[in-house]
Amino acid sequence: MATDSGTGAERLASLADERVDHRFKGLPPDADGLTVGELAAQRRNLFSGGFTTPVLALSAERLEHNLRLMETYSVRHGLTFAPHGKTSMAPQLFQRQIEHGAWGITLAVPHQVRVARAFGVQRVFLANEVVDAAALEWVSAQLAGDPGFRFVCYVDSVRGVELMDSALRGSRRPVDVVVELAAGEGARTGVRTEEECSAVADAVAGVDTLRLVGVAGYEGEVPDADSERVRGWLRRLVALAVDFDKDGRFDGVEEIVVSAGGSAWFDAVADVFAGIPELSVPVLKLLRSGAYVSHDDGHYRKITPFNRVPEEGSLQPAFRLWAQVVSRPSAAQAFVNAGKRDAAYDLDLPEAQVVRGDGGERPADGITVTGLSDQHAWIRTDEGVELQVGDWVGMGLSHPCTSFDKWELIPVVEQDGTVVDYIRTYF
Amino acid sequence: MATDSGTGAERLASLADERVDHRFKGLPPDADGLTVGELAAQRRNLFSGGFTTPVLALSAERLEHNLRLMETYSVRHGLTFAPHGKTSMAPQLFQRQIEHGAWGITLAVPHQVRVARAFGVQRVFLANEVVDAAALEWVSAQLAGDPGFRFVCYVDSVRGVELMDSALRGSRRPVDVVVELAAGEGARTGVRTEEECSAVADAVAGVDTLRLVGVAGYEGEVPDADSERVRGWLRRLVALAVDFDKDGRFDGVEEIVVSAGGSAWFDAVADVFAGIPELSVPVLKLLRSGAYVSHDDGHYRKITPFNRVPEEGSLQPAFRLWAQVVSRPSAAQAFVNAGKRDAAYDLDLPEAQVVRGDGGERPADGITVTGLSDQHAWIRTDEGVELQVGDWVGMGLSHPCTSFDKWELIPVVEQDGTVVDYIRTYF
């Protein structure tokens, strides 16, 4: 159990006491002043309960399905799971991920760690370099104040080690770090060569404010990624851990961290990590996939590893963005009241899936989102398509990370439209 | 004065009582628990006061300059100003815009109107169609509860009028509407032809829940826009007002609303609206430009009308996003810790402008942002450029709307780095 029962749990519970008001778009205006818990207890219907458009809905059943599937997957493959929390930045989902077996939560930047800590997350894997003195001083204070707090972050330069050491002088506990191996030349962060990795590890060994506990990286940035290139890089990462261990670089640690795994190649991670040989101490094989929690109807639908291993299950897209037709100025055009402020648009445009109008719900055949303004989606309708002002259009989204971050309080909706909960995000 | 001194003003003042905590990225971790007012009173320096990266800064001087400039511009051209509030969604800025002579605030969707009303804005121009029954019932209640509340929105279809009427039956006050004239065939919302405009106006006349008060549109969507085409469309809009007036469609209103004007063509709006002939009652020439408040270092820098009329002044880009170099894996690459969650990326990438390192601040010559991940910016450095892990990179942004919406509490920073205030946004 990686959240404690102290302040964090209380704060999590207190989310139900927050007031529903102007801060939260899409929620019923007539619920203004109710607490979130009171509104949830009313079990309103998303379509008839006074919700206003646009409104993003998270499927209760699909969310649960996805949580279970990645729990099962991790267990089956002997992987420890630290789902990337940057995706949702929702402490309630962090909690459910932990209840579904997650070791802890992966995060990308220190301000995200502050959110996780505020809600009692006890194990954080920060999959990024941190050299910010103010942030490191805060981490140091968190470590000093809570013996149960486990924190690991990346290092990829001698200069970074020096800056960390400078900020952490006098800390009660050292900060655990892993050397980040870059996914290739021209890839994102991370040390480019094994030789440089050793130099960075030497630098870590030379300061007492840091402790080297493993190696990590992100196979999602392997140039011209395919199954073979990704596996090749993962084998380099494993070899680096083996060499570091042979060189005695992990002497004194209780376990060696070897971490990789976004949402596109976790099947390769499972395969290659299964072959990690016995090292001097147990190995924590840390998988970090985050997008699975909502999955999507676009980019991640195309790239999910479950397409290659369908016998292991399949994720379900859990988001549907509802917007209303406000204008139908010609037979070929319609406009709904959701735009760049409401929908992800960095990888693909939203996909019109269903229409709710006078005659109930029907497939959105012949209805295509062609563009987004700040507050409108542009829709093209094929000849003869019936779509009228007032209809609600349900859309699938592409990219969970840029969907969650446009909504601060997201209704969780059961199949029949009943809203059973609300998920708070902090971006 | 378009904000009252009641609950709205109190709520505005109470923003200073909000607690600084994990909700607000970039703020100093050691300020946790202070109120926003207490932190502002400390007048910390952005670069030495414990702020963490990434952090978005709004220039105090440039903000004030821009507020004054558009006030002067509107007065000089006899335009009433209702700046588009969707840009910032910051009640403190709404208030300052009103103090700088704005008639009220333009908004795009009903949930934005809820924010404005919560903070006491008394005049709202909703530059969009609204057919959502729950939202209209809320508007109706706001009108009934506050005789001083002025609200105007668009209509562009007979069906829309019917839906509005159905939702507003029994309302104490009618909702004021303007017919939206589309900017052309294939443009965004709005009635395509003058004949159809008359049909929509007839429909409005046929219900007692609505009152026709004018015409409006958005010249920013004129297809293949140039100065002549935009002026041509603006003349169509004015002619529509004149015709409606001749037909007695505005009988009984105190003033006729004629509204246009985004951030690209307000010089054309000023020209054409100067030629509006005398009508049966006074004309409210409503300009709605919103991006000016922060202006930008990209798209709006290129398209601002002040480029054509430099003798009338110039807007100043007021945002600078600060991020820190966390990785410098090769001579040609660097990575800072700000990404899609922090910077606008829909129109242009951020522009590296300055670097702060060991030797103070210097121009970011030879430093180019080439891409954004969720939480990183990819930077290319020319040969010989010195940029090291730990340096802060100050970046200009393109598109105010998608910059504001990534930050909930934005430090307002004076030229010397002193943080004098914090702007709260509600998206």
mmCIF file of all heavy atoms in Angstrom, chain A residues 32 53 86 112 114 128 132 156 159 192 327 333 340-341 346 374-375 389 401 405, chain B residues 32 53 86 112 114 128 132 156 159 192 327 333 340-341 346 374-376 389 401 405:
data_model
loop_
_atom_site.group_PDB
_atom_site.id
_atom_site.type_symbol
_atom_site.label_atom_id
_atom_site.label_comp_id
_atom_site.label_asym_id
_atom_site.label_seq_id
_atom_site.Cartn_x
_atom_site.Cartn_y
_atom_site.Cartn_z
ATOM 1 N N ASP A 32 -24.975 24.448 -8.374
ATOM 2 C CA ASP A 32 -24.080 25.424 -7.767
ATOM 3 C C ASP A 32 -24.276 25.447 -6.253
ATOM 4 O O ASP A 32 -25.399 25.595 -5.767
ATOM 5 C CB ASP A 32 -24.371 26.809 -8.358
ATOM 6 C CG ASP A 32 -23.227 27.782 -8.125
ATOM 7 O OD1 ASP A 32 -23.079 28.259 -6.986
ATOM 8 O OD2 ASP A 32 -22.500 28.052 -9.085
ATOM 9 N N THR A 53 -23.256 21.807 -22.103
ATOM 10 C CA THR A 53 -22.234 21.452 -23.082
ATOM 11 C C THR A 53 -21.222 22.586 -23.218
ATOM 12 O O THR A 53 -21.590 23.746 -23.045
ATOM 13 C CB THR A 53 -22.877 21.197 -24.445
ATOM 14 O OG1 THR A 53 -23.744 22.306 -24.747
ATOM 15 C CG2 THR A 53 -23.657 19.910 -24.441
ATOM 16 N N LYS A 86 1.344 11.810 -15.019
ATOM 17 C CA LYS A 86 1.202 13.061 -15.776
ATOM 18 C C LYS A 86 -0.029 12.998 -16.675
ATOM 19 O O LYS A 86 -0.600 14.017 -17.014
ATOM 20 C CB LYS A 86 2.431 13.326 -16.635
ATOM 21 C CG LYS A 86 2.562 12.344 -17.788
ATOM 22 C CD LYS A 86 3.404 12.818 -18.955
ATOM 23 C CE LYS A 86 3.339 11.752 -20.061
ATOM 24 N NZ LYS A 86 4.073 12.111 -21.258
ATOM 25 N N GLN A 112 4.289 18.231 -10.258
ATOM 26 C CA GLN A 112 3.389 17.076 -10.244
ATOM 27 C C GLN A 112 3.630 16.219 -9.005
ATOM 28 O O GLN A 112 2.690 15.640 -8.446
ATOM 29 C CB GLN A 112 3.586 16.253 -11.517
ATOM 30 C CG GLN A 112 3.206 17.027 -12.780
ATOM 31 C CD GLN A 112 3.457 16.265 -14.065
ATOM 32 O OE1 GLN A 112 4.233 15.296 -14.079
ATOM 33 N NE2 GLN A 112 2.838 16.697 -15.149
ATOM 34 N N ARG A 114 4.446 17.407 -6.173
ATOM 35 C CA ARG A 114 3.763 18.099 -5.072
ATOM 36 C C ARG A 114 2.302 17.670 -4.986
ATOM 37 O O ARG A 114 1.762 17.486 -3.893
ATOM 38 C CB ARG A 114 3.847 19.621 -5.245
ATOM 39 C CG ARG A 114 5.253 20.168 -5.016
ATOM 40 C CD ARG A 114 5.266 21.680 -5.071
ATOM 41 N NE ARG A 114 4.530 22.281 -3.968
ATOM 42 C CZ ARG A 114 4.186 23.569 -3.915
ATOM 43 N NH1 ARG A 114 4.520 24.378 -4.914
ATOM 44 N NH2 ARG A 114 3.527 24.047 -2.877
ATOM 45 N N ASN A 128 12.425 12.043 -15.157
ATOM 46 C CA ASN A 128 12.983 13.253 -15.746
ATOM 47 C C ASN A 128 14.171 13.695 -14.885
ATOM 48 O O ASN A 128 14.274 13.301 -13.720
ATOM 49 C CB ASN A 128 11.929 14.364 -15.773
ATOM 50 C CG ASN A 128 12.187 15.411 -16.856
ATOM 51 O OD1 ASN A 128 13.258 15.440 -17.467
ATOM 52 N ND2 ASN A 128 11.219 16.272 -17.069
ATOM 53 N N ASP A 132 16.533 21.867 -10.437
ATOM 54 C CA ASP A 132 15.970 23.096 -9.893
ATOM 55 C C ASP A 132 16.178 23.105 -8.378
ATOM 56 O O ASP A 132 15.650 22.245 -7.665
ATOM 57 C CB ASP A 132 14.470 23.067 -10.252
ATOM 58 C CG ASP A 132 13.745 24.339 -9.913
ATOM 59 O OD1 ASP A 132 13.954 24.868 -8.812
ATOM 60 O OD2 ASP A 132 12.945 24.782 -10.755
ATOM 61 N N ASP A 156 21.379 12.623 -16.099
ATOM 62 C CA ASP A 156 21.975 12.317 -17.407
ATOM 63 C C ASP A 156 23.188 13.189 -17.714
ATOM 64 O O ASP A 156 23.650 13.212 -18.861
ATOM 65 C CB ASP A 156 20.940 12.374 -18.532
ATOM 66 C CG ASP A 156 20.627 13.788 -19.024
ATOM 67 O OD1 ASP A 156 21.008 14.772 -18.349
ATOM 68 O OD2 ASP A 156 19.998 13.905 -20.093
ATOM 69 N N ARG A 159 27.177 17.700 -15.004
ATOM 70 C CA ARG A 159 26.736 19.026 -14.570
ATOM 71 C C ARG A 159 25.445 18.924 -13.743
ATOM 72 O O ARG A 159 25.304 19.597 -12.713
ATOM 73 C CB ARG A 159 26.524 19.899 -15.816
ATOM 74 C CG ARG A 159 25.693 21.137 -15.629
ATOM 75 C CD ARG A 159 26.505 22.327 -15.187
ATOM 76 N NE ARG A 159 25.639 23.504 -15.059
ATOM 77 C CZ ARG A 159 25.949 24.571 -14.354
ATOM 78 N NH1 ARG A 159 27.101 24.654 -13.730
ATOM 79 N NH2 ARG A 159 25.125 25.594 -14.285
ATOM 80 N N ARG A 192 24.026 9.676 -24.075
ATOM 81 C CA ARG A 192 24.100 9.079 -25.406
ATOM 82 C C ARG A 192 24.888 7.775 -25.465
ATOM 83 O O ARG A 192 24.552 6.892 -26.249
ATOM 84 C CB ARG A 192 24.706 10.094 -26.391
ATOM 85 C CG ARG A 192 23.827 11.335 -26.659
ATOM 86 C CD ARG A 192 22.431 10.942 -27.118
ATOM 87 N NE ARG A 192 21.628 12.064 -27.607
ATOM 88 C CZ ARG A 192 20.462 12.449 -27.106
ATOM 89 N NH1 ARG A 192 19.951 11.821 -26.062
ATOM 90 N NH2 ARG A 192 19.791 13.433 -27.650
ATOM 91 N N SER A 327 -24.924 25.697 -34.493
ATOM 92 C CA SER A 327 -25.118 26.351 -35.785
ATOM 93 C C SER A 327 -25.059 25.295 -36.889
ATOM 94 O O SER A 327 -24.238 24.374 -36.843
ATOM 95 C CB SER A 327 -24.012 27.402 -35.985
ATOM 96 O OG SER A 327 -24.126 28.049 -37.234
ATOM 97 N N GLN A 333 -22.233 21.972 -43.486
ATOM 98 C CA GLN A 333 -21.487 22.439 -42.321
ATOM 99 C C GLN A 333 -22.327 22.442 -41.053
ATOM 100 O O GLN A 333 -23.520 22.751 -41.095
ATOM 101 C CB GLN A 333 -21.003 23.875 -42.553
ATOM 102 C CG GLN A 333 -19.748 24.013 -43.392
ATOM 103 C CD GLN A 333 -19.257 25.450 -43.359
ATOM 104 O OE1 GLN A 333 -19.927 26.354 -43.848
ATOM 105 N NE2 GLN A 333 -18.087 25.658 -42.770
ATOM 106 N N LYS A 340 -10.605 24.034 -28.932
ATOM 107 C CA LYS A 340 -9.261 23.742 -28.447
ATOM 108 C C LYS A 340 -9.180 23.760 -26.927
ATOM 109 O O LYS A 340 -8.272 23.189 -26.351
ATOM 110 C CB LYS A 340 -8.274 24.790 -28.971
ATOM 111 C CG LYS A 340 -8.000 24.716 -30.453
ATOM 112 C CD LYS A 340 -7.011 25.833 -30.842
ATOM 113 C CE LYS A 340 -6.855 25.935 -32.347
ATOM 114 N NZ LYS A 340 -6.015 27.116 -32.720
ATOM 115 N N ARG A 341 -10.109 24.462 -26.293
ATOM 116 C CA ARG A 341 -10.110 24.518 -24.830
ATOM 117 C C ARG A 341 -10.664 23.235 -24.214
ATOM 118 O O ARG A 341 -10.533 23.031 -22.998
ATOM 119 C CB ARG A 341 -10.981 25.681 -24.363
ATOM 120 C CG ARG A 341 -10.200 26.880 -23.879
ATOM 121 C CD ARG A 341 -9.502 27.639 -24.983
ATOM 122 N NE ARG A 341 -8.708 28.744 -24.472
ATOM 123 C CZ ARG A 341 -9.174 29.970 -24.231
ATOM 124 N NH1 ARG A 341 -10.419 30.248 -24.486
ATOM 125 N NH2 ARG A 341 -8.376 30.907 -23.766
ATOM 126 N N ASP A 346 -3.550 17.787 -30.521
ATOM 127 C CA ASP A 346 -2.137 17.756 -30.896
ATOM 128 C C ASP A 346 -1.759 16.560 -31.753
ATOM 129 O O ASP A 346 -0.791 16.626 -32.507
ATOM 130 C CB ASP A 346 -1.248 17.819 -29.650
ATOM 131 C CG ASP A 346 -1.571 16.742 -28.637
ATOM 132 O OD1 ASP A 346 -2.765 16.422 -28.452
ATOM 133 O OD2 ASP A 346 -0.635 16.201 -28.020
ATOM 134 N N ASP A 374 -10.907 28.026 -31.039
ATOM 135 C CA ASP A 374 -10.751 27.987 -29.579
ATOM 136 C C ASP A 374 -11.965 27.360 -28.899
ATOM 137 O O ASP A 374 -11.827 26.586 -27.952
ATOM 138 C CB ASP A 374 -10.574 29.410 -29.024
ATOM 139 C CG ASP A 374 -9.198 29.986 -29.318
ATOM 140 O OD1 ASP A 374 -8.320 29.236 -29.789
ATOM 141 O OD2 ASP A 374 -9.012 31.188 -29.083
ATOM 142 N N GLN A 375 -13.171 27.734 -29.377
ATOM 143 C CA GLN A 375 -14.389 27.291 -28.671
ATOM 144 C C GLN A 375 -15.411 26.615 -29.586
ATOM 145 O O GLN A 375 -16.549 26.415 -29.186
ATOM 146 C CB GLN A 375 -15.049 28.506 -27.978
ATOM 147 C CG GLN A 375 -14.112 29.420 -27.200
ATOM 148 C CD GLN A 375 -13.702 28.921 -25.832
ATOM 149 O OE1 GLN A 375 -12.811 29.448 -25.198
ATOM 150 N NE2 GLN A 375 -14.376 27.893 -25.376
ATOM 151 N N VAL A 389 -29.502 21.806 -35.203
ATOM 152 C CA VAL A 389 -29.169 22.655 -34.072
ATOM 153 C C VAL A 389 -29.844 22.083 -32.823
ATOM 154 O O VAL A 389 -31.032 21.751 -32.856
ATOM 155 C CB VAL A 389 -29.634 24.108 -34.331
ATOM 156 C CG1 VAL A 389 -29.554 24.953 -33.061
ATOM 157 C CG2 VAL A 389 -28.786 24.735 -35.439
ATOM 158 N N CYS A 401 -3.344 12.535 -22.513
ATOM 159 C CA CYS A 401 -2.662 13.591 -21.740
ATOM 160 C C CYS A 401 -3.234 14.976 -22.025
ATOM 161 O O CYS A 401 -3.365 15.799 -21.131
ATOM 162 C CB CYS A 401 -1.169 13.590 -22.043
ATOM 163 S SG CYS A 401 -0.355 12.052 -21.568
ATOM 164 N N ASP A 405 -6.061 17.319 -19.400
ATOM 165 C CA ASP A 405 -5.576 18.606 -18.896
ATOM 166 C C ASP A 405 -6.490 19.788 -19.255
ATOM 167 O O ASP A 405 -6.181 20.923 -18.899
ATOM 168 C CB ASP A 405 -4.110 18.860 -19.297
ATOM 169 C CG ASP A 405 -3.892 19.148 -20.765
ATOM 170 O OD1 ASP A 405 -4.878 19.267 -21.512
ATOM 171 O OD2 ASP A 405 -2.715 19.261 -21.166
ATOM 172 N N ASP B 32 4.061 27.482 0.372
ATOM 173 C CA ASP B 32 2.892 26.644 0.611
ATOM 174 C C ASP B 32 2.192 27.060 1.914
ATOM 175 O O ASP B 32 2.824 27.172 2.965
ATOM 176 C CB ASP B 32 3.332 25.182 0.720
ATOM 177 C CG ASP B 32 2.177 24.221 0.532
ATOM 178 O OD1 ASP B 32 1.353 24.098 1.454
ATOM 179 O OD2 ASP B 32 2.101 23.607 -0.547
ATOM 180 N N THR B 53 10.622 25.953 -11.999
ATOM 181 C CA THR B 53 10.364 25.926 -13.431
ATOM 182 C C THR B 53 9.516 24.719 -13.792
ATOM 183 O O THR B 53 9.623 23.694 -13.119
ATOM 184 C CB THR B 53 11.696 25.855 -14.189
ATOM 185 O OG1 THR B 53 12.471 24.791 -13.618
ATOM 186 C CG2 THR B 53 12.435 27.166 -14.118
ATOM 187 N N LYS B 86 -12.682 35.323 -23.223
ATOM 188 C CA LYS B 86 -12.242 33.927 -23.380
ATOM 189 C C LYS B 86 -10.725 33.843 -23.397
ATOM 190 O O LYS B 86 -10.154 32.827 -23.040
ATOM 191 C CB LYS B 86 -12.800 33.326 -24.667
ATOM 192 C CG LYS B 86 -12.156 33.924 -25.910
ATOM 193 C CD LYS B 86 -12.249 33.077 -27.156
ATOM 194 C CE LYS B 86 -11.458 33.773 -28.277
ATOM 195 N NZ LYS B 86 -11.441 33.040 -29.526
ATOM 196 N N GLN B 112 -18.351 30.257 -19.380
ATOM 197 C CA GLN B 112 -17.517 31.446 -19.180
ATOM 198 C C GLN B 112 -18.338 32.591 -18.593
ATOM 199 O O GLN B 112 -17.827 33.385 -17.792
ATOM 200 C CB GLN B 112 -16.877 31.854 -20.511
ATOM 201 C CG GLN B 112 -15.920 30.796 -21.056
ATOM 202 C CD GLN B 112 -15.335 31.142 -22.410
ATOM 203 O OE1 GLN B 112 -15.884 31.982 -23.131
ATOM 204 N NE2 GLN B 112 -14.253 30.491 -22.774
ATOM 205 N N ARG B 114 -20.707 32.185 -16.524
ATOM 206 C CA ARG B 114 -20.829 31.889 -15.091
ATOM 207 C C ARG B 114 -19.634 32.453 -14.324
ATOM 208 O O ARG B 114 -19.800 32.994 -13.224
ATOM 209 C CB ARG B 114 -20.937 30.381 -14.843
ATOM 210 C CG ARG B 114 -22.259 29.800 -15.316
ATOM 211 C CD ARG B 114 -22.378 28.337 -14.938
ATOM 212 N NE ARG B 114 -22.456 28.144 -13.491
ATOM 213 C CZ ARG B 114 -22.335 26.963 -12.897
ATOM 214 N NH1 ARG B 114 -22.121 25.879 -13.617
ATOM 215 N NH2 ARG B 114 -22.426 26.860 -11.577
ATOM 216 N N ASN B 128 -21.703 34.067 -29.522
ATOM 217 C CA ASN B 128 -21.933 32.690 -29.950
ATOM 218 C C ASN B 128 -23.430 32.394 -29.819
ATOM 219 O O ASN B 128 -24.147 33.097 -29.096
ATOM 220 C CB ASN B 128 -21.154 31.716 -29.056
ATOM 221 C CG ASN B 128 -20.859 30.390 -29.745
ATOM 222 O OD1 ASN B 128 -21.390 30.093 -30.825
ATOM 223 N ND2 ASN B 128 -20.013 29.595 -29.116
ATOM 224 N N ASP B 132 -28.630 25.641 -25.391
ATOM 225 C CA ASP B 132 -28.585 24.674 -24.310
ATOM 226 C C ASP B 132 -29.620 25.076 -23.258
ATOM 227 O O ASP B 132 -29.523 26.144 -22.645
ATOM 228 C CB ASP B 132 -27.160 24.739 -23.738
ATOM 229 C CG ASP B 132 -26.859 23.680 -22.712
ATOM 230 O OD1 ASP B 132 -27.686 23.483 -21.814
ATOM 231 O OD2 ASP B 132 -25.783 23.087 -22.807
ATOM 232 N N ASP B 156 -28.568 32.442 -35.132
ATOM 233 C CA ASP B 156 -28.298 32.301 -36.563
ATOM 234 C C ASP B 156 -29.190 31.272 -37.251
ATOM 235 O O ASP B 156 -28.923 30.899 -38.396
ATOM 236 C CB ASP B 156 -26.813 32.023 -36.839
ATOM 237 C CG ASP B 156 -26.411 30.561 -36.646
ATOM 238 O OD1 ASP B 156 -27.194 29.778 -36.074
ATOM 239 O OD2 ASP B 156 -25.307 30.195 -37.093
ATOM 240 N N ARG B 159 -34.410 27.369 -36.117
ATOM 241 C CA ARG B 159 -34.409 26.266 -35.151
ATOM 242 C C ARG B 159 -33.809 26.718 -33.821
ATOM 243 O O ARG B 159 -34.316 26.385 -32.753
ATOM 244 C CB ARG B 159 -33.602 25.108 -35.748
ATOM 245 C CG ARG B 159 -33.146 24.058 -34.783
ATOM 246 C CD ARG B 159 -34.153 22.963 -34.570
ATOM 247 N NE ARG B 159 -33.632 21.945 -33.670
ATOM 248 C CZ ARG B 159 -34.378 21.094 -32.993
ATOM 249 N NH1 ARG B 159 -35.700 21.103 -33.132
ATOM 250 N NH2 ARG B 159 -33.843 20.213 -32.189
ATOM 251 N N ARG B 192 -25.970 32.758 -43.646
ATOM 252 C CA ARG B 192 -25.218 32.943 -44.883
ATOM 253 C C ARG B 192 -25.720 34.111 -45.742
ATOM 254 O O ARG B 192 -24.933 34.771 -46.400
ATOM 255 C CB ARG B 192 -25.251 31.646 -45.708
ATOM 256 C CG ARG B 192 -24.503 30.473 -45.066
ATOM 257 C CD ARG B 192 -23.056 30.824 -44.778
ATOM 258 N NE ARG B 192 -22.227 29.686 -44.388
ATOM 259 C CZ ARG B 192 -21.570 29.581 -43.233
ATOM 260 N NH1 ARG B 192 -21.683 30.526 -42.307
ATOM 261 N NH2 ARG B 192 -20.806 28.548 -42.978
ATOM 262 N N SER B 327 18.627 18.914 -19.566
ATOM 263 C CA SER B 327 19.460 17.935 -20.272
ATOM 264 C C SER B 327 20.129 18.619 -21.458
ATOM 265 O O SER B 327 19.513 19.428 -22.150
ATOM 266 C CB SER B 327 18.576 16.776 -20.749
ATOM 267 O OG SER B 327 19.320 15.828 -21.476
ATOM 268 N N GLN B 333 21.832 19.694 -29.124
ATOM 269 C CA GLN B 333 20.520 19.504 -28.502
ATOM 270 C C GLN B 333 20.502 19.918 -27.039
ATOM 271 O O GLN B 333 21.484 19.733 -26.310
ATOM 272 C CB GLN B 333 20.133 18.024 -28.552
ATOM 273 C CG GLN B 333 19.557 17.550 -29.870
ATOM 274 C CD GLN B 333 18.999 16.151 -29.717
ATOM 275 O OE1 GLN B 333 19.746 15.215 -29.441
ATOM 276 N NE2 GLN B 333 17.694 16.012 -29.878
ATOM 277 N N LYS B 340 3.908 20.767 -23.814
ATOM 278 C CA LYS B 340 2.539 21.065 -24.267
ATOM 279 C C LYS B 340 1.626 21.460 -23.118
ATOM 280 O O LYS B 340 0.595 22.085 -23.345
ATOM 281 C CB LYS B 340 1.937 19.828 -24.940
ATOM 282 C CG LYS B 340 2.559 19.462 -26.262
ATOM 283 C CD LYS B 340 1.854 18.215 -26.810
ATOM 284 C CE LYS B 340 2.551 17.676 -28.040
ATOM 285 N NZ LYS B 340 1.965 16.369 -28.472
ATOM 286 N N ARG B 341 1.963 21.057 -21.925
ATOM 287 C CA ARG B 341 1.141 21.414 -20.767
ATOM 288 C C ARG B 341 1.359 22.859 -20.349
ATOM 289 O O ARG B 341 0.585 23.396 -19.547
ATOM 290 C CB ARG B 341 1.495 20.515 -19.592
ATOM 291 C CG ARG B 341 0.486 19.445 -19.288
ATOM 292 C CD ARG B 341 0.429 18.377 -20.347
ATOM 293 N NE ARG B 341 -0.618 17.397 -20.073
ATOM 294 C CZ ARG B 341 -0.469 16.325 -19.292
ATOM 295 N NH1 ARG B 341 0.663 16.084 -18.720
ATOM 296 N NH2 ARG B 341 -1.494 15.493 -19.096
ATOM 297 N N ASP B 346 -0.448 25.657 -30.792
ATOM 298 C CA ASP B 346 -1.398 25.449 -31.886
ATOM 299 C C ASP B 346 -1.106 26.312 -33.103
ATOM 300 O O ASP B 346 -1.495 25.954 -34.216
ATOM 301 C CB ASP B 346 -2.835 25.662 -31.405
ATOM 302 C CG ASP B 346 -3.037 27.015 -30.742
ATOM 303 O OD1 ASP B 346 -2.133 27.463 -30.016
ATOM 304 O OD2 ASP B 346 -4.102 27.613 -30.951
ATOM 305 N N ASP B 374 4.985 16.386 -24.133
ATOM 306 C CA ASP B 374 4.042 16.818 -23.096
ATOM 307 C C ASP B 374 4.707 17.719 -22.064
ATOM 308 O O ASP B 374 4.130 18.719 -21.639
ATOM 309 C CB ASP B 374 3.441 15.604 -22.367
ATOM 310 C CG ASP B 374 2.419 14.876 -23.211
ATOM 311 O OD1 ASP B 374 2.026 15.388 -24.276
ATOM 312 O OD2 ASP B 374 2.014 13.764 -22.808
ATOM 313 N N GLN B 375 5.919 17.341 -21.646
ATOM 314 C CA GLN B 375 6.551 18.066 -20.537
ATOM 315 C C GLN B 375 7.962 18.552 -20.869
ATOM 316 O O GLN B 375 8.691 18.965 -19.965
ATOM 317 C CB GLN B 375 6.592 17.167 -19.280
ATOM 318 C CG GLN B 375 5.302 16.433 -18.957
ATOM 319 C CD GLN B 375 4.239 17.259 -18.259
ATOM 320 O OE1 GLN B 375 3.102 16.860 -18.117
ATOM 321 N NE2 GLN B 375 4.629 18.437 -17.812
ATOM 322 N N HIS B 376 8.357 18.502 -22.114
ATOM 323 C CA HIS B 376 9.685 18.973 -22.530
ATOM 324 C C HIS B 376 9.552 19.843 -23.768
ATOM 325 O O HIS B 376 8.704 19.593 -24.619
ATOM 326 C CB HIS B 376 10.595 17.811 -22.961
ATOM 327 C CG HIS B 376 10.973 16.849 -21.889
ATOM 328 N ND1 HIS B 376 10.210 15.749 -21.579
ATOM 329 C CD2 HIS B 376 12.060 16.804 -21.068
ATOM 330 C CE1 HIS B 376 10.819 15.067 -20.603
ATOM 331 N NE2 HIS B 376 11.932 15.690 -20.275
ATOM 332 N N VAL B 389 23.133 22.817 -18.644
ATOM 333 C CA VAL B 389 22.141 22.308 -17.695
ATOM 334 C C VAL B 389 22.046 23.274 -16.518
ATOM 335 O O VAL B 389 23.064 23.699 -15.976
ATOM 336 C CB VAL B 389 22.532 20.885 -17.231
ATOM 337 C CG1 VAL B 389 21.673 20.433 -16.056
ATOM 338 C CG2 VAL B 389 22.406 19.898 -18.401
ATOM 339 N N CYS B 401 -4.654 32.912 -26.176
ATOM 340 C CA CYS B 401 -5.739 32.049 -25.671
ATOM 341 C C CYS B 401 -5.238 30.697 -25.171
ATOM 342 O O CYS B 401 -5.710 30.186 -24.163
ATOM 343 C CB CYS B 401 -6.794 31.838 -26.748
ATOM 344 S SG CYS B 401 -7.581 33.378 -27.271
ATOM 345 N N ASP B 405 -4.623 29.475 -20.874
ATOM 346 C CA ASP B 405 -5.418 28.339 -20.394
ATOM 347 C C ASP B 405 -4.576 27.194 -19.826
ATOM 348 O O ASP B 405 -5.136 26.193 -19.399
ATOM 349 C CB ASP B 405 -6.410 27.866 -21.464
ATOM 350 C CG ASP B 405 -5.782 27.156 -22.644
ATOM 351 O OD1 ASP B 405 -4.569 26.919 -22.636
ATOM 352 O OD2 ASP B 405 -6.532 26.835 -23.587
#
